[in-house]
Amino acid sequence: MTVTVRFAPSPTGHIHIGNSRPALYNWLFARKMGGQFILRFDDTDTVRSKQEYAVSIEKDLRWLGIDPDRTERQSDRLPTYDVAARKLKDAGLLYPCYETPEELERRRSRQRALGRPPVYDRAGLKQSEEERAAFEAEGRKPHWRFLLPNHDGDPFETRRTDVAWSDLCRGDQAVDLASMSDPVLIRADGSYLYTFTSIVDDIEMGITHIIRGEDHISNTGVQIAIFEAMDAKPPVFGHHNLLTTRDGEGLSKRKGALSIGSLREAGLEPMAVASLAVLTGTSQAVEPVPTMAALVEKFDLTSVSRSAAKFDPDELKGLNARLVHDLPLEAVSDRLAALGIEPSEAFWMAVRGNCETVDDALTYWQIITGPVESRIEDEDRDFVAQARAFLPEGDITEESWGAWTSALKAETGRKGRGLFMPLRRVLTGMDHGPDMKAMLPLIGKQKILDRLP
């Protein structure tokens, strides 16, 4: 059996770090098992679905390192859903209901007032052809519900019906179908709900494993019942915990600051985002993983915790910095050039340890190429004035900083911060930054002299 998984976003907005998690989990699982990953757009909502979002989602996934083996669009498959719906109708498993949303809500309110669960009472099954014709004459159109197999022949006498499965993340799980309403699979306007189209696609595309957020657990029993009603073996399910904000709030498309696009534009490394999205909320240490191949090796669904996985943007920054500190020049040279920086081994090795993002290198390039706003504290003016005379002769090398400061220390008695900080401030305008031993040759003798009083 070839493992086949899918990620099925709705192209109604940009993906964020929360829904990058199931995308990554599915892709990593497929690669670990030598299987296939399908990107399948749930774009049957013609009002809200937009091609620009589909393009954005695919771009964001590829930036993260997720390369789909194939891409599908549900809008191309409407005839397939028509055929599947007709089979369920002919089998008496899909029945029409003419209640309006307002009528259904009033009925649920009455049930809750009586202390009963607001489960649909299958009134649609009781309607005669004459009653349905009367509703049609009023201009009503039916929505269609799937008849759950939670009875012994009389659908109005339900019995406890546990649907069980072994979950890849959570172990043995079970859902009682008697506690649920028959799900609507077709809206009154004739459009299909995702539950139905997804199952039809999963069957036809040979999906073997469905890995998704734990918010879908309650749906799984219903979906297994529909798979079986369509004479198909259900896939293996895995429900991972959800990413939340630090305050425990759920993530959504409306939180643009957490979108993958915004994280990319902020100069973050894709592996920092992928590492945090995958490892947060697991028993494994959250650490920067340098490549997707390494993340595949590390990936383990059984390590996923049952508690929420809290996403901390500050932790993302820390992971990103650790990755940047280890990046070789060849991994960043194009990006440096795009910033207007002349890539060189000497420059990158000097500054990368002080960069939280690759873009931060621009600050140090501007210091090197100048001009800078030199800073001299009043108590340091005489010392800085003396420094000019002790600058080593000849070309500036990595040994020059040590020779210069040693000579000044011997002359002035200054040491530590009192010795180094005034020189850093006058040459760079900053209190911190890369090792001056490496920066001095990059700045060059003429600029050093120009910045000294």
Side-chain angles (χ1 to χ4, degrees):
M1 178 186 70
T2 299
V3 165
T4 305
V5 298
R6 44 74 166 177
F7 175 58
S10 299
T12 56
H14 303 290
I15 61 170
H16 52 73
I17 192 161
N19 46 30
S20 74
R21 187 170 171 89
L24 284 160
Y25 273 31
N26 279 281
W27 186 88
L28 291 167
F29 185 80
R31 292 297 175 264
K32 189 152 196 166
M33 303 300 291
Q36 288 199 324
F37 172 86
I38 298 174
L39 172 60
R40 191 173 73 207
F41 287 109
D42 169 21
D43 60 350
T44 56
D45 184 341
T46 57
V47 175
R48 297 172 60 228
S49 295
K50 294 189 176 1
Q51 177 60 20
E52 64 193 80
Y53 290 131
V55 171
S56 167
I57 289 169
E58 192 150 13
K59 177 181 178 182
D60 289 344
L61 292 179
R62 291 188 183 278
W63 178 75
L64 283 170
I66 298 173
D67 50 320
D69 294 297
R70 50 192 268 225
T71 300
E72 301 281 354
R73 289 171 175 78
Q74 291 191 330
S75 57
D76 295 336
R77 297 174 47 76
L78 295 178
T80 304
Y81 310 137
D82 294 339
V83 172
R86 173 48 55 195
K87 288 181 179 178
L88 288 180
K89 289 177 182 179
D90 291 344
L93 297 177
L94 205 55
Y95 62 96
C97 303
Y98 287 85
E99 299 94 341
T100 66
E102 294 76 20
E103 289 169 345
L104 287 170
E105 182 53 40
R106 283 196 297 271
R107 191 177 299 171
R108 285 191 291 264
S109 296
R110 285 196 300 271
Q111 289 172 305
R112 283 190 286 262
L114 293 170
R116 299 171 184 167
V119 175
Y120 181 64
D121 61 4
R122 291 174 169 164
L125 276 176
K126 298 177 180 178
Q127 292 163 356
S128 65
E129 290 301 322
E130 290 77 13
E131 288 173 316
R132 290 172 181 169
F135 283 133
E136 294 279 351
E138 289 179 18
R140 295 197 190 194
K141 298 294 181 184
H143 56 272
W144 293 76
R145 291 180 182 267
F146 173 72
L147 182 61
L148 289 172
N150 54 9
H151 57 88
D152 287 322
D154 181 355
F156 302 105
E157 292 292 334
T158 60
R159 60 171 175 79
R160 183 177 183 88
T161 306
D162 286 332
V163 175
W165 70 95
S166 180
D167 198 280
L168 290 171
C169 302
R170 304 172 69 86
D172 291 339
Q173 300 288 300
V175 172
D176 177 17
L177 296 183
S179 65
M180 299 182 174
S181 295
D182 289 341
V184 177
L185 300 188
I186 306 176
R187 300 181 184 91
D189 64 3
S191 61
Y192 296 106
L193 273 81
Y194 173 72
T195 297
F196 181 61
T197 58
S198 178
I199 291 171
V200 173
D201 288 345
D202 288 341
I203 294 170
E204 295 212 356
M205 295 178 187
I207 301 301
T208 61
H209 296 73
I210 294 177
I211 303 168
R212 56 190 181 179
E214 62 187 1
D215 51 331
H216 289 285
I217 289 176
S218 60
N219 306 328
T220 303
V222 168
Q223 291 165 3
I224 288 174
I226 298 174
F227 273 106
E228 292 176 345
M230 299 179 72
D231 298 321
K233 180 181 178 182
V236 178
F237 288 89
H239 294 90
H240 59 75
N241 53 6
L242 301 176
L243 283 184
T244 68
T245 65
R246 281 178 296 193
D247 298 327
E249 295 179 10
L251 303 179
S252 72
K253 293 177 182 177
R254 293 186 300 275
K255 297 182 182 292
L258 298 176
S259 71
I260 298 301
S262 69
L263 297 174
R264 181 178 64 248
E265 290 167 7
L268 295 171
E269 298 298 309
M271 285 311 304
V273 177
S275 297
L276 188 60
V278 170
L279 298 176
T280 297
T282 73
S283 59
Q284 300 189 65
V286 178
E287 59 186 4
V289 181
T291 66
M292 288 296 276
L295 196 55
V296 168
E297 291 301 313
K298 198 174 183 65
F299 179 68
D300 180 8
L301 281 174
T302 63
S303 72
V304 176
S305 168
R306 292 200 180 198
S307 57
K310 293 188 177 182
F311 164 69
D312 186 346
D314 291 335
E315 191 170 12
L316 181 56
K317 293 176 183 176
L319 290 177
N320 200 80
R322 290 167 64 186
L323 281 172
V324 170
H325 297 170
D326 289 332
L327 289 175
L329 176 64
E330 56 266 27
V332 300
S333 58
D334 289 346
R335 283 188 280 171
L336 294 178
L339 293 169
I341 298 171
E342 182 181 326
S344 74
E345 189 77 18
F347 169 75
W348 179 241
M349 295 304 290
V351 306
R352 70 176 184 176
N354 290 85
C355 293
E356 192 173 86
T357 70
V358 172
D359 290 359
D360 291 343
L362 184 58
T363 297
Y364 304 117
W365 181 253
Q366 291 168 339
I367 288 171
I368 289 167
T369 57
V372 300
E373 188 175 340
S374 296
R375 292 170 49 209
I376 307 175
E377 304 296 330
D378 288 341
E379 64 269 22
D380 296 325
R381 290 192 181 280
D382 291 343
F383 169 72
V384 172
Q386 286 179 285
R388 186 184 190 94
F390 288 87
L391 186 66
E393 297 289 335
D395 293 336
I396 300 296
T397 67
E398 287 201 352
E399 285 70 42
S400 299
W401 174 254
W404 191 20
T405 53
S406 293
L408 282 168
K409 180 179 180 181
E411 176 66 21
T412 66
R414 286 197 177 212
K415 57 184 178 180
R417 182 182 175 87
L419 174 64
F420 304 129
M421 187 60 70
L423 298 176
R424 179 182 287 279
R425 285 172 175 166
V426 75
L427 294 178
T428 71
M430 301 178 70
D431 287 344
H432 55 81
D435 190 340
M436 291 300 293
K437 174 182 176 180
M439 287 290 282
L440 218 60
L442 296 171
I443 296 171
K445 175 163 275 188
Q446 189 56 55
K447 289 191 179 68
I448 294 171
L449 292 172
D450 291 344
R451 295 173 191 180
L452 291 170

